[in-house]
Amino acid sequence: MTSLPKTIRENLHFLCAEIDGQLILLEAFFQDPTAALARRIMDRAGYAHNLKTRILDACVRQMAGAKKDNRKHLTLRSLEFVAVDLQRLSNLARQSLRHVERIDTFNTLVPERYPVIVGHVRSGVARIENAIHSSDSNLAIEIGQMQNKIEADYRKVFKVYTREMRNPKTQPSDIANSLLVASEFQRMGDSLKSISEALISSNIGQAVNFERYFSLQSLMSDLEEPNGELAIEAIAETRSGSSISAIRNTKTETVTAVFKDGEKNKVKEERQGVESWHSIYPGLAPKILSYKKRNQSAALLIEHLPGLTLEHILLNENGDLCDKALARLSKTLRDIWKQTRTKEPAELGSMQQLSERLGEVRRVHPEFQETHVRFCGEALPSLDTLVGLAAKREAQVAAPFSVYIHGDFNVDNIIFDPGENRIHFIDLHRSRYMDYVQDISVFMVSNYRLHVLDRETRSRIMDVSQTFFKSARAFARKQNDDTFEFRLALGLARSFATSTRFIFDKVHARRMWLRSRYLIEKALACPVGEEARFRLPLKEIFVD
């Protein structure tokens, strides 16, 4: 671990000693409960709080001069978490005593069980300083493993208390308060685990939890890197809760693989999506190098794909490269759609999707809760009403065929390799057979929602969306997909509205919200049975 400033090192030492002192008193209290011991514990709250505050203040001062991705910054952030959780142990000790005070018959608590639990907490605290100064992840793991011992003891006393509930001689209030005491000790185990994770995160240079660390260790052992050591660096945190990291060779400075972990079901879907693309369209998706499951989480080690995301190209590269990437993407998509086409009709269901997500949108943007909509004195239907009407129309206009789609076709999930002139897809957990309009609408709106104010770049984004649309429309006409533009209008309406939940800027979000309403109104204005004659008002939509 990075060398600690003297102020932090000394105050951390005092804080660990203070918490251990309070735990010694707590241990003694359960062995021989006296009001004097309880009072000594309750009176020591201020010192632990002051020590924690000094550590946090010192960390803030030190971080002011450290780069955010600097190892020093990570260490200081970890120490903040350690200090907060140490003081939390002090708070939990006092809270447990408040519950004890309400117990009339002290033996109901089975107090002889608690010194062992307190001993586990003390063992964890005793390892903290050594784990910090030696950057020893094994010691950090031992701190976190104390939670398992505390949890096992908690379950034993929980069984005792629940059994006593059936005893008519035992006061229900005594059992209730005993359960609360046990719960405070269970939370002490959680604090030790949090401290353990903070120390491990500092050691490896990236925020991890226990499950992620063991998955990462297991998967990295599968990599063979004779030249140089392996290091990890964060790439992204997905909205679904997964974390993505690059595994880099420290000697060659090349990315060897990509590590992705998260909930077992989501990672399993990602694995299945990648494997399905390998069988359907080889070379498009990355290879899976290794896969591990652990409890309710799972992790993948994925081949690192060369190239740049379309988002990066749009925002940072020249127009020629952008045109080249878009042309290759359009060609690749047409090829995929032709190869995977089935005769099974596909319902887009975009209005149902929108209806299900309106609650999420309005939690971020409550101003979109429309009750009475008026324009020039005329009462207009709310968006909810329009969505309901459009859902009925949409159900009558299915795509004449199905194709295999990406399922989350944002510009940051598409990689273009200029050297090989190839397109790759990533983040494939939603891939399935579906109406291809789903991917088209998501792609176009993911372009629009990029919050870029530069006029030239903004104009390029609009041009990309319009060029992409023309390519997709040409494919639809060749396939005799007559209702393509009608379905796309509703698909775009869904994507514009639901994407606002990821947009904080109120002006930008409102532009997208109004475009959604406009597209639904235009689709509903089309006479029933005339959907094939509907034309998407593209220039009115993709312009700022």
Side-chain angles (χ1 to χ4, degrees), residues 98-100 102-103 109 172-182:
R98 293 189 183 99
H99 299 312
V100 171
R102 303 187 187 102
I103 298 174
L109 185 62
S173 61
D174 282 359
I175 291 294
N177 282 296
S178 295
L179 285 167
L180 290 172
V181 171

Side-chain angles (χ1 to χ4, degrees), residues 331-374:
K331 187 177 186 304
T332 301
L333 283 175
R334 289 195 300 271
D335 194 33
I336 293 169
W337 294 338
K338 288 177 183 177
Q339 288 194 34
T340 64
R341 172 175 171 159
T342 71
K343 295 181 180 179
E344 187 71 25
E347 290 188 10
L348 184 60
S350 58
M351 291 298 97
Q352 181 180 344
Q353 294 174 38
L354 175 53
S355 178
E356 292 170 351
R357 293 174 185 169
L358 280 174
E360 294 179 52
V361 169
R362 285 164 174 158
R363 279 194 290 275
V364 178
H365 298 287
E367 66 273 16
F368 293 160
Q369 184 68 53
E370 303 169 342
T371 51
H372 303 287
V373 183
R374 304 188 69 84

Side-chain angles (χ1 to χ4, degrees), residues 458-485:
R458 197 74 196 159
S459 177
R460 180 198 292 180
I461 291 171
M462 299 300 108
D463 289 344
V464 164
S465 295
Q466 295 190 40
T467 302
F468 182 78
F469 162 74
K470 292 172 184 177
S471 174
R473 182 179 61 186
F475 172 84
R477 288 176 176 174
K478 287 184 179 179
Q479 304 300 315
N480 297 316
D481 182 2
D482 297 331
T483 61
F484 167 77
E485 292 192 51

Side-chain angles (χ1 to χ4, degrees), residues 9 20 26 77 94 170 183 194 227 234 238 248 271 316 370 435 482:
R9 187 172 65 251
D20 187 59
L26 189 64
R77 289 292 295 154
R94 291 193 306 281
T170 304
S183 177
S194 295
N227 299 317
T238 69
R248 186 179 294 278
R271 182 191 183 197
N316 301 289
E370 303 169 342
D435 184 348
D482 297 331

Side-chain angles (χ1 to χ4, degrees), residues 29 291 340:
F29 175 84
Y291 171 72
T340 64

Side-chain angles (χ1 to χ4, degrees), residues 218-225 230 245 247 255-260 271 274-275 278 285-292 299-305:
S218 177
L219 289 177
M220 285 181 70
S221 66
D222 294 340
L223 288 177
E224 295 182 4
E225 285 293 315
L230 294 174
S245 304
I247 311 297
V255 176
T256 303
V258 174
F259 171 76
K260 183 173 184 178
R271 182 191 183 197
V274 170
E275 291 174 344
H278 285 317
K287 295 176 183 176
I288 295 176
L289 304 178
S290 190
Y291 171 72
K292 301 287 182 182
L300 286 170
L301 203 61
I302 306 171
E303 169 195 19
H304 174 254
L305 296 170

Side-chain angles (χ1 to χ4, degrees), residues 415-441:
I415 294 175
F416 175 62
D417 180 0
E420 297 292 330
N421 194 27
R422 293 188 66 178
I423 289 290
H424 296 287
F425 292 169
I426 58 173
D427 205 3
L428 300 164
H429 64 283
R430 293 180 183 170
S431 296
R432 65 198 185 281
Y433 277 94
M434 179 63 170
D435 184 348
Y436 62 117
V437 161
Q438 172 84 14
D439 274 358
I440 296 168
S441 62

